[in-house]
Amino acid sequence: MLVSVLRRFSAGVPTTMVRTGVCPVTHRQKSSAFRIHPRVEEALAEGQPIVALESTIITHGMPYPQNISMASEVEEIVRANGSVPATVGIIKGKVHIGLCDEEIKFLATCKDCVKVSRRDLPYVLSQGLSGGSTVSGTMVAAHHAGIPIFVTGGIGGVHRDGENTMDISADLTELGRTPVAVISAGVKSILDIGRTLEYLETQGVCVSTFGDSRDFPAFFTPSSGFKAPYHVRNEEEAAQLIASSLELRLDSGVLISVPIPSEYAASGLMMEEAIRQALEEARLQGIVGKEVTPFLLRRVNEITGGKSLDSNIALIKNNAKVGSRIAVALSKIQKPKGGKGKDLHHHGGLEDKLSDSRPVVIGGINVDFIAKAVQDNMEFGGQTNPGQVHQSFGGVGRNLADCMSRLGVRPLFISAVGQDDLSDSVFRYCSHMDMMGVAHLKSHNTATYCAVISGSGELSLGLGDMEIHQQITEKHVSQFADRLCRARLLCIDGNVPVSTIQYVCEIARQSSVPVCYEPTDIDKASKPFTSNCWTALTYISPNLKELLAINRALGYVDNIDIPWELEDIVNTAISLSLPLLENIHCVIVTLGAHGVLLCGHRRGGTVSLHAKDKVSRDNLCAVHYPAAPIPPEEIINVSGAGDSLMAGLLTGVLAEYDTDTCVRIGLLVARHSLRSRGPISQHIFPISVILQQVVKEQWPAPRVWSITPSDGKTFLKTRH
């Protein structure tokens, strides 16, 4: 994708961009009425699994701020199970397929949003209005974008007494004419379910339940008393059903009904009584048309004391999980056959240019449990500190490969996981990455890591079960020796054994392949420096403490105090980097909130990042780039910021950008990840989009120092 965009730039053809809030969105050529989010656009181009989501639950289904948290949680569930979420909403007369956080908040707080079905789209767009997409409206948008799967709570249907009122939801006719598979918890129990199923049959819609039973669910309850014509037992069978329907080109949808988990199912009798009462109240108050459903859902929730809302939330989350897994299974079916060891969904991006010379990343993969305290000062005497805990996916190597993949470079990732439930979730989440090099090991656990973060966002404590990383052995990596020799870049982290690092460095030396070492932590930083293999490194990205540990391993210093003032920090980092520059092309010192310091060989008034540059070993300089500004209260997770920085910087190097651009891509990507629950932000887009953001950002000027090898020797001698 990257190269195709760069070609358009070089040919003078602009890439049209529009901004809503701070979210860049690309135009689709099919219609100017639609805006497709860059992450969704990327997923479409690469054949990744995508799940469409409606937005009436945001605008009309739940109160603020619960509607925002629900929307975010549902999107996160979709991602965690391997797919890209594409929430559909109408904003100021444009249909947005995929929403950023600011757009979700806009819909959640907008007072005059309307419910938008197929019928409403022409008027709403012509008047420049905003609204939440219903089932039929979302199906229209999903079909336009080429997204075959849509997840919702429950579809509309024939209303009770519909044989007299002719009140029949547009959802049913949409299913009869739009080839999108709808994953729902059946039909809302406030409707006439029997007549709804009959109407779906008339429309030619294939209806199936999900699981071992043909009992058709009734939204809040797993059984309505009616049977579905068919049932599929798992995600693979559901995907086969959808694939068959698409192959037949029937121009009609598929309805797959997922029963609510039994532990959340409310009493059917209680729900039925509440529905009858709410229906009678609606009749007495003269509530008709599209206002009926939100009224009934609100009243049923009030009558049942909130139990219906709890069930509603549970079934929506369950549908998101099932729908995402079905999308993953469908994407595997739809992949072209053939191609030795390749994912064939390439569309002219940087990956095409690199082909089998794509980068290779070797390193750890973890399931992370991140605990962030409410307060900055925590008690460690056994007390319970208030905070929030969530699961994400990390590991330095995985983070690098994840971020580079999102930027448009899809490196081969080499690692190891156990054969357990955690490994299954890892592969679902990392479906956008090339995981061909990840070994499944029966007798080992997938690595886990727990981070405790203070209220201000600083890492206070980390605990890890990382034994499996020792299985990323030279023998395992050597299976990919041919790829290593042809790669334009090798990245390796400190999680892997020393022997593996030595093997990779030797491959790099013999094949003249640039190699980057990510030290990971203080204890692992010095692994390459226990032998001469470190002289094959091209880049290294330590923080100041890791850089000090490396100097200790080389025998240059015993110990020094880490300074606090920025000027002293920079001077110390420069001096500690100098001994490494005798062999390493560039030392990239991550300074946290202070940004990043590059120490290396001068070219054109700055540090050279390109190993092929002809540079003088005696002409050295250092450049300090301040971090992209971010308010402390917006920092959610610091664990992946450094990895994001390096992934962005290295992607810029592969695209042959100048040093300033490479670093600023890295800094901007790092800021995205600081705002993310997981180590790598889901809002990192192909580099063409990031470049647009880099251009718009107001960057402070970097500071440049000219340095000589004697500077470092003097420093080290006085502090030895």
Side-chain angles (χ1 to χ4, degrees):
M1 182 179 291
L2 170 60
V3 167
S4 62
V5 173
L6 294 178
R7 285 174 184 150
R8 289 202 295 273
F9 277 129
S10 62
V13 181
T15 300
T16 306
M17 305 292 293
V18 66
R19 290 176 63 85
T20 301
V22 296
C23 302
V25 185
T26 59
H27 283 271
R28 265 280 197 184
Q29 294 300 314
K30 293 181 181 179
S31 170
S32 61
F34 292 85
R35 301 287 187 266
I36 300 182
H37 194 285
R39 179 66 187 97
V40 178
E41 188 85 64
E42 176 193 12
L44 287 166
E46 296 184 356
Q48 298 176 26
I50 309 173
V51 169
L53 301 166
E54 65 166 281
S55 54
T56 50
I57 191 172
I58 302 172
T59 58
H60 293 80
M62 292 184 181
Y64 176 84
Q66 191 173 22
N67 51 1
I68 290 183
S69 60
M70 166 55 70
S72 299
E73 288 177 27
V74 170
E75 286 199 344
E76 191 60 39
I77 289 169
V78 170
R79 294 187 190 99
N81 285 277
S83 297
V84 175
T87 302
V88 175
I90 295 81
I91 299 177
K92 298 179 181 179
K94 301 295 181 183
V95 180
H96 288 243
I97 303 171
L99 301 177
C100 68
D101 293 343
E102 288 79 8
E103 290 163 343
I104 290 175
K105 184 176 181 180
F106 171 78
L107 290 177
T109 56
C110 181
K111 300 299 183 183
D112 54 358
C113 277
V114 296
K115 292 180 68 175
V116 185
S117 68
R118 172 188 280 264
R119 176 198 69 178
D120 308 301
L121 279 168
Y123 180 79
V124 170
L125 268 59
S126 70
Q127 297 296 310
L129 302 178
S130 300
S133 60
T134 66
V135 169
S136 66
T138 307
M139 290 180 70
V140 170
H143 181 49
H144 169 85
I147 301 172
I149 292 180
F150 160 44
V151 166
T152 185
I155 66 166
V158 179
H159 280 255
R160 300 191 186 198
D161 200 31
E163 67 275 19
N164 298 315
T165 64
M166 296 300 293
D167 191 352
I168 301 171
S169 171
D171 299 353
L172 305 186
T173 49
E174 200 63 50
L175 274 161
R177 62 186 170 191
T178 302
V180 171
V182 178
I183 316 299
S184 80
V187 177
K188 297 182 178 76
S189 51
I190 57 178
L191 304 171
D192 187 325
I193 295 175
R195 286 187 170 87
T196 297
L197 288 171
E198 290 290 344
Y199 196 91
L200 286 169
E201 180 182 358
T202 302
Q203 292 292 314
V205 178
C206 182
V207 178
S208 172
T209 54
F210 183 89
D212 296 327
S213 172
R214 282 179 51 214
D215 287 341
F216 191 79
F219 200 64
F220 295 119
T221 57
S223 178
S224 64
F226 295 91
K227 297 288 186 181
Y230 309 107
H231 79 277
V232 290
R233 290 171 294 183
N234 51 45
E235 293 89 352
E236 288 73 23
E237 288 189 5
Q240 290 286 357
L241 172 62
I242 296 167
S244 296
S245 179
L246 294 172
E247 186 176 1
L248 288 168
R249 299 180 183 274
L250 296 176
D251 291 331
S252 57
V254 173
L255 176 63
I256 297 179
S257 298
V258 182
I260 185 172
S262 57
E263 62 268 28
Y264 294 106
S267 165
L269 179 60
M270 178 186 69
M271 296 303 303
E272 183 65 25
E273 291 175 350
I275 290 166
R276 290 185 184 278
Q277 179 181 335
L279 281 167
E280 180 63 17
E281 292 178 7
R283 185 186 66 80
L284 292 173
Q285 296 180 36
I287 297 172
V288 295
K290 63 182 181 181
E291 302 303 324
V292 171
T293 297
F295 172 81
L296 294 179
L297 292 175
R298 184 178 68 253
R299 281 297 295 138
V300 168
N301 182 55
E302 292 169 353
I303 294 167
T304 60
K307 291 184 178 179
S308 66
L309 181 58
D310 293 341
S311 298
N312 195 353
I313 293 171
L315 68 86
I316 291 170
K317 290 181 178 180
N318 186 58
N319 291 351
K321 178 180 72 174
V322 172
S324 182
R325 293 179 179 182
I326 292 173
V328 171
L330 180 63
S331 72
K332 294 177 180 178
I333 294 172
Q334 293 178 329
K335 283 185 179 179
K337 305 298 181 185
K340 185 177 180 180
K342 294 182 183 178
D343 181 343
L344 300 180
H345 289 290
H346 308 331
H347 295 265
L350 181 57
E351 184 176 351
D352 282 340
K353 181 178 178 181
L354 300 180
S355 184
D356 280 347
S357 66
R358 284 183 295 144
V360 177
V361 178
I362 306 164
I365 185 167
N366 312 325
V367 178
D368 291 342
F369 298 91
I370 308 299
K372 184 176 182 183
V374 172
Q375 300 173 345
D376 196 27
N377 295 322
M378 290 181 285
E379 299 289 341
F380 288 95
Q383 300 90 333
T384 298
N385 293 275
Q388 294 181 332
V389 180
H390 72 272
Q391 175 186 322
S392 60
F393 300 88
V396 171
R398 195 215 67 86
N399 291 346
L400 288 170
D402 183 348
C403 191
M404 294 175 78
S405 295
R406 295 181 190 281
L407 287 166
V409 180
R410 196 162 176 261
L412 170 66
F413 180 44
I414 300 175
S415 189
V417 294
Q419 288 189 2
D420 48 27
D421 291 341
L422 288 178
S423 70
D424 293 340
S425 64
V426 164
F427 271 82
R428 285 193 296 269
Y429 186 81
C430 299
S431 61
H432 61 291
M433 297 163 52
D434 184 350
M435 304 282 281
M436 277 185 52
V438 179
H440 276 85
L441 305 177
K442 287 184 178 180
S443 57
H444 295 82
N445 298 324
T446 298
T448 52
Y449 172 74
C450 178
V452 180
I453 299 172
S454 69
S456 61
E458 292 298 321
L459 180 64
S460 297
L461 179 67
L463 297 172
D465 176 5
M466 308 290 186
E467 189 277 332
I468 195 171
H469 293 157
Q470 298 309 304
Q471 305 307 311
I472 310 173
T473 60
E474 177 183 347
K475 180 179 179 181
H476 174 57
V477 174
S478 66
Q479 299 176 69
F480 308 94
D482 189 48
R483 290 289 301 274
L484 269 61
C485 292
R486 297 203 307 271
R488 282 188 60 193
L489 175 69
L490 301 176
C491 299
I492 188 165
D493 76 20
N495 287 305
V496 303
V498 171
S499 58
T500 304
I501 295 173
Q502 293 172 341
Y503 171 76
V504 172
C505 286
E506 187 57 32
I507 288 274
R509 194 193 309 276
Q510 292 176 1
S511 304
S512 299
V513 178
V515 57
C516 176
Y517 178 64
E518 221 305 330
T520 307
D521 63 34
I522 297 173
D523 294 332
K524 300 168 185 173
S526 59
K527 282 186 176 182
F529 300 89
T530 57
S531 71
N532 198 45
C533 75
W534 73 273
T535 59
L537 299 177
T538 311
Y539 312 102
I540 186 169
S541 55
N543 60 32
L544 194 55
K545 291 182 179 179
E546 292 162 351
L547 186 56
L548 177 58
I550 290 168
N551 274 266
R552 286 199 201 101
L554 291 172
Y556 294 128
V557 296
D558 289 329
N559 201 3
I560 61 171
D561 294 329
I562 300 296
W564 291 94
E565 297 296 328
L566 177 59
E567 196 75 24
D568 294 333
I569 290 172
V570 169
N571 287 334
T572 302
I574 291 173
S575 300
L576 291 172
S577 298
L578 280 169
L580 308 184
L581 294 175
E582 294 179 14
N583 293 282
I584 295 176
H585 185 77
C586 184
V587 178
I588 302 156
V589 188
T590 57
L591 302 176
H594 292 303
V596 62
L597 178 75
L598 271 60
C599 298
H601 306 281
R602 183 190 295 272
R603 186 176 187 274
T606 188
V607 171
S608 165
L609 278 175
H610 299 283
K612 63 183 180 182
D613 286 345
K614 293 182 179 180
V615 293
S616 169
R617 292 291 169 183
D618 296 324
N619 191 8
L620 304 177
C621 72
V623 185
H624 172 241
Y625 292 85
I630 177 173
E633 62 272 15
E634 294 184 13
I635 297 175
I636 298 174
N637 183 5
V638 299
S639 64
D643 301 334
S644 295
L645 168 67
M646 281 306 299
L649 184 150
L650 292 172
T651 301
V653 170
L654 289 169
E656 300 184 352
Y657 291 133
D658 61 83
T659 297
D660 282 3
T661 301
C662 292
V663 175
R664 285 165 179 167
I665 290 170
L667 291 171
L668 199 58
V669 170
R671 185 170 69 183
H672 276 299
S673 290
L674 286 169
R675 290 177 168 141
S676 170
R677 281 193 168 189
I680 304 300
S681 172
Q682 304 289 337
H683 299 297
I684 293 171
F685 312 119
I687 199 170
S688 57
V689 177
I690 295 295
L691 280 174
Q692 297 287 331
Q693 299 174 3
V694 168
V695 170
K696 292 179 181 296
E697 189 79 21
Q698 296 295 318
W699 295 99
R703 292 182 60 193
V704 182
W705 290 264
S706 293
I707 52 178
T708 64
S710 60
D711 295 335
K713 291 175 181 177
T714 301
F715 173 88
L716 295 171
K717 185 179 292 184
T718 59
R719 286 160 175 78
H720 189 69

